[in-house]
Amino acid sequence: MLARLLTRPYPSRHDRPLVLGHRGASADAPENTLAAFREAVRQGADGVELDVMRCGSGELVVCHDEWLDRLAGEHLEVARTPLVALRRLDVGSRHSARFTGERIPTLAEALAVLPRAAVCNVEIKCDTLLDRGLSFRVAREIRRSEAGQDLVLSSFNPLSLARARFFAPRLPAALLVDTSQNLPLREAAARALGAAAVHVEHRLCTPDSVRRWHRQGFKVAAWTVDEPGDVERCCAAGVDVLISNRPRAVLVSIDRLGIAD
Ligand code: G3P
Ligand code: MG
């Protein structure tokens, strides 16, 4: 519990939950691109969630999928493709023609484009036992960054989170939880890892479950919350953070609920 108190994630707002753009404002701009991060800020989001992995030449790149078929129409595996080749890919035009030429950014570029006041949740994407130095490099990159945002490291992989806690003990960490997982086991893992938050699939958020996570000392972020009914349910349940593809629409929904000052 002490470790968690020393690494409190997310600045508290008393008027409403924080709203983060999921992969940026990914409904309105290509996911995990600088355009999506700028768009999230433009829409009034408090910050963004983004996904990070290592590419073939070792750099940290911001990307969700292991393979680039969906995003770039190329059958290339990120982990085996060097940065110079990733740089040539257009990951914008499949979203819309006006984003043609949008590139996969590095983590450093993503942090540089976010304002200092923004919150940034860096999700470490790794589903293997060994991580090829991913968590170490994320921690090092964040230490080097002069961007100064409030950062939270998260992962579905408890081993990645353990490594993140080891290499960046002062950064708050969050364990991701989805509906397919054993909830008591995930909660025990989050406690054992000194996680300061749980990032849960929004369907798991009820007044009881959120109260239980709060009692364990966790802040609670719900993902991916796009529909007004889900915004209302998560707000009523008392979540601290809403992660959404549509941050502006979420802010409008919150406004309509009348919980914002
Ligand atoms: O971090 C919340 C959410 O992004 C987890 O799922 O697959 O969208 O990265 P995914
Ligand atoms: Mg993610």
Side-chain angles (χ1 to χ4, degrees):
M1 183 70 100
L2 181 62
R4 277 182 267 157
L5 288 174
L6 292 172
T7 55
R8 288 308 283 166
Y10 300 120
S12 282
R13 287 191 70 117
H14 299 291
D15 53 347
R16 61 164 172 79
L18 290 183
V19 176
L20 304 186
H22 180 241
R23 310 179 196 173
S26 57
D28 297 307
E31 66 179 58
N32 280 325
T33 63
L34 300 184
F37 304 141
R38 289 194 188 99
E39 177 61 17
V41 172
R42 204 183 66 77
Q43 292 190 11
D46 300 293
V48 302
E49 182 264 5
L50 55 82
D51 305 294
V52 68
M53 54 180 74
R54 279 187 82 185
C55 69
S57 48
E59 292 86 350
L60 297 174
V61 291
V62 180
C63 186
H64 178 272
D65 294 3
E66 288 174 29
W67 290 85
L68 291 164
D69 305 66
R70 178 179 68 93
L71 295 167
E74 300 275 354
H75 191 59
L76 292 170
E77 190 178 11
V78 175
R80 291 177 189 274
T81 308
L83 186 62
V84 65
L86 291 178
R87 291 286 201 202
R88 287 198 283 267
L89 300 175
D90 164 16
V91 290
S93 59
R94 293 194 147 215
H95 186 281
S96 101
R98 77 189 166 97
F99 290 112
T100 299
E102 201 64 37
R103 307 288 168 204
I104 293 175
T106 62
L107 177 60
E109 289 166 344
L111 294 177
V113 89
L114 289 169
R116 204 177 176 78
V119 173
C120 183
N121 167 208
V122 175
E123 182 188 340
I124 300 170
K125 282 286 182 210
C126 172
D127 55 13
T128 50
L129 285 179
L130 300 178
D131 79 342
R132 300 172 58 230
L134 172 60
S135 294
F136 169 73
R137 281 169 182 255
V138 169
R140 190 177 64 181
E141 185 66 62
I142 284 171
R143 261 199 308 277
R144 279 182 185 163
S145 164
E146 289 171 9
Q149 296 94 1
D150 271 309
L151 286 145
V152 176
L153 299 178
S154 66
S155 187
F156 279 110
N157 185 338
L159 280 175
S160 294
L161 214 61
R163 290 187 180 101
R165 297 283 299 126
F166 181 76
F167 293 122
R170 278 190 271 185
L171 276 189
L175 190 66
L176 279 152
V177 185
D178 71 25
T179 49
S180 74
Q181 294 165 329
N182 178 307
L183 204 46
L185 269 182
R186 294 300 278 187
E187 289 175 13
R191 286 195 303 273
L193 290 165
V198 285
H199 286 196
V200 295
E201 195 170 344
H202 73 81
R203 286 177 194 83
L204 293 168
C205 294
T206 64
D208 281 350
S209 62
V210 173
R211 203 174 302 121
R212 192 176 69 246
W213 295 323
H214 281 160
R215 266 204 308 267
Q216 294 176 75
F218 301 125
K219 287 228 177 174
V220 179
W223 52 272
T224 304
V225 187
D226 286 351
E227 300 304 322
D230 295 328
V231 174
E232 181 169 1
R233 181 174 42 77
C234 288
C235 287
V239 305
D240 305 291
V241 182
L242 298 169
I243 300 177
S244 174
N245 299 314
R246 304 174 183 279
R248 179 170 37 216
V250 167
L251 288 163
V252 168
S253 294
I254 291 174
D255 211 33
R256 290 203 177 121
L257 290 173
I259 58 171
D261 282 344

